[in-house]
Amino acid sequence: MRAILGGIAASSLVVPAIVAGRAPEVPRAIAAKVKRPQRVVAATEVPVVEPVELQDLTPEDARVFNASIPFVRGPRPAARPFLFAGNDMQRARATDCLAAAAWYEAGDDPVGQQAVVQVVLNRLRHPAFPKTICGVVFQGQERTTGCQFTFACDGALARHPSEPAWERARQVAIKALNGAVFAKVGYATHYHTDWVVPYWSASLDKLAEVHTHLFFRWTGWWGTPAAFRRTVSSDEPVIAVLGNISPVHRLGDALAEAATAIAAATPGAAIASPLATNTVPGEPDSFTALLPDGAPENYPALAKTACGTRPKCKFLGWTDRTMLPDGTAMTPAQMAGMSFSYLRDQGAGLERELWNCREFPRTGPGLCMRRQVVPVATSTGGPVLRGPSGLDGIRRREEPVATPSPTATKLL
């Protein structure tokens, strides 16, 4: 980890046993340099998370002072398992934010990564911190100083992990989002290296030592399990600075920028970014999206931004949230409710933009999705009822069409 809430970048991590005993006294000359800790915050008052500030000590004096702080006596329970409850896109964003914290803070060390990830999840469930994983990891990045995790502000993001290392960090994150717990650090919400002394360290309970890093929880009620029951949010934000290593953050940021640019260039248009965009599982070049209302002529720009430079790409959009598919299958009703599709195959010389012309009447040939019948279940012996016409997102030469099966249809 790094100096403050960060940096187990050591090649291998040794976890020393915690030895019970009396902490050594700190020399008066060192103690005189240390500011006294703040009071213990009452249960009726949420603690304030301040920007990181270090005591004015040399690394050698810092180690002496840190060694003088005893480990807390009494129970040190492990945190409860955490289960992420969002959709696929939200989970993907949370996974990559958590993996970024793990890798940039702990390097390619699995034990250090688990410790970092546990601190992030502990903060997530504590009311003093943001309600999303990405919000916790990048808290304070808008300030010139004060990032809670130093890698978010100190230029470390210019370094990129190798693909295998990034995948290993993602696997640690995935397991944590599925309930894995790193019990050693308990309900720790803070940590630092032993060669620095943050102003807050002497006011917190010292829980554990992992290699050269010390882990802390708040003193008093705010460090007990009861304080870690805040309702969290799955509405994970797009973190633009992760775009170089995380496709889900790159895609979301590109769509948001495109929508903003379109709105600025279209007089009187009020266009928001897509409310949801998903990569189709097993099809990395296919996307489904919840489209903003209004100005359908702007949908191609959003689709092309999402597709980027891919030689093959498929972008399917809906304006009705209830019609948006949540997996690889699409029902006939969802096909009928599709608002826009964009298909690209550079090898075949294909690039096609099609609209649902029942939703968006347009002029000119070749712009409308082909309509097809959506079957509706009927009772035996009763009159045969036909549902609304469907759309398959691809315009083809008109020819007789067999009635499609009412079972789920894979995304085109």
Side-chain angles (χ1 to χ4, degrees), residues 262 295-306 315 340 342 353 355:
I262 291 169
E297 66 273 12
N298 294 321
Y299 294 163
L302 295 176
K304 292 176 183 179
T305 302
F315 181 97
F340 171 78
Y342 172 78
E353 304 157 2
W355 285 259

Side-chain angles (χ1 to χ4, degrees), residues 4 37 48 58 76 87 111 161 173 201 204 214 258 266 272 289-290 294 301 357 384:
I4 310 297
V48 176
T58 66
R76 283 177 272 182
N87 62 31
V111 176
S201 65
L204 303 184
L214 306 174
T266 307
L290 182 62
C357 290
V384 177

Side-chain angles (χ1 to χ4, degrees), residues 22-375:
R22 186 175 180 180
E25 291 188 9
V26 61
R28 291 183 179 179
I30 297 176
K33 298 179 182 180
V34 178
K35 299 177 184 178
R36 292 298 91 194
Q38 296 177 327
R39 64 181 175 83
V40 175
V41 179
T44 56
E45 178 185 348
V46 178
V48 176
V49 182
E50 299 289 346
V52 175
E53 179 184 351
L54 299 180
Q55 308 281 9
D56 185 18
L57 296 174
T58 66
E60 294 75 17
D61 289 348
R63 286 192 172 96
V64 172
F65 181 82
N66 286 324
S68 73
I69 301 175
F71 290 99
V72 66
R73 295 180 180 275
R76 283 177 272 182
R80 291 177 298 112
F82 176 79
L83 298 174
F84 190 84
N87 62 31
D88 289 345
M89 177 57 72
Q90 293 165 338
R91 178 179 287 272
R93 289 177 182 167
T95 297
D96 285 1
C97 283
L98 206 53
W103 189 83
Y104 284 101
E105 292 290 295
D108 198 12
D109 177 80
V111 176
Q113 289 180 354
Q114 291 174 69
V116 171
V117 164
Q118 189 62 59
V119 169
V120 172
L121 296 184
N122 290 347
R123 286 190 163 208
L124 175 67
R125 294 195 285 195
H126 198 287
F129 299 95
K131 293 184 177 182
T132 64
I133 289 172
C134 292
V136 168
V137 172
F138 289 89
Q139 183 180 15
Q141 68 164 339
E142 71 282 357
R143 301 191 293 252
T144 54
T145 60
C147 280
Q148 291 298 306
F149 290 85
T150 53
F151 81 91
C153 285
D154 66 0
L157 285 165
R159 297 183 294 107
H160 297 161
S162 66
E163 289 188 11
W166 177 242
E167 185 55 32
R168 285 191 290 271
R170 292 188 78 254
Q171 289 303 313
V172 171
I174 289 170
K175 290 178 181 178
L177 295 179
N178 289 330
V181 173
F182 187 71
K184 182 177 179 64
V185 300
Y187 281 94
T189 50
H190 298 68
Y191 63 81
H192 66 82
T193 55
D194 65 1
W195 62 80
V196 299
V197 179
Y199 77 98
W200 44 256
S201 65
S203 67
L204 303 184
D205 287 340
K206 185 177 175 182
L207 286 177
E209 183 177 7
V210 179
H211 192 39
T212 59
H213 287 75
L214 306 174
F215 290 78
F216 301 79
R217 71 185 180 199
W218 262 306
T219 299
W221 186 84
W222 289 109
T224 66
F228 293 80
R229 299 183 183 277
R230 189 262 304 275
T231 300
V232 304
S233 171
S234 297
D235 189 17
E236 294 290 339
V238 171
I239 304 298
V241 293
L242 285 184
N244 288 332
I245 60 174
S246 170
V248 290
H249 286 281
R250 179 168 62 249
L251 170 63
D253 185 54
L255 290 171
E257 288 183 359
T260 301
I262 291 169
T266 307
I271 302 176
S273 61
L275 301 180
T277 306
N278 298 286
T279 302
V280 177
E283 300 181 25
D285 296 326
S286 297
F287 305 97
T288 60
L290 182 62
L291 296 168
D293 293 330
E297 66 273 12
N298 294 321
Y299 294 163
L302 295 176
K304 292 176 183 179
T305 302
C307 288
T309 60
R310 292 175 174 83
K312 289 186 177 182
C313 186
K314 177 170 56 185
F315 181 97
L316 309 177
W318 286 260
T319 56
D320 184 349
R321 181 190 292 272
T322 64
M323 290 288 103
L324 189 67
D326 58 2
T328 59
M330 183 166 56
T331 67
Q334 289 170 328
M335 293 170 63
M338 190 190 307
S339 302
F340 171 78
S341 68
Y342 172 78
L343 304 174
R344 175 196 294 168
D345 186 342
Q346 293 179 351
L350 171 68
E351 186 172 28
R352 184 170 296 167
E353 304 157 2
L354 300 173
W355 285 259
N356 181 336
C357 290
R358 298 182 65 186
E359 181 179 0
F360 304 113
R362 300 182 61 87
T363 58
L367 299 176
C368 296
M369 295 177 181
R370 181 174 173 275
R371 297 169 59 182
Q372 66 178 210
V373 175
V374 176

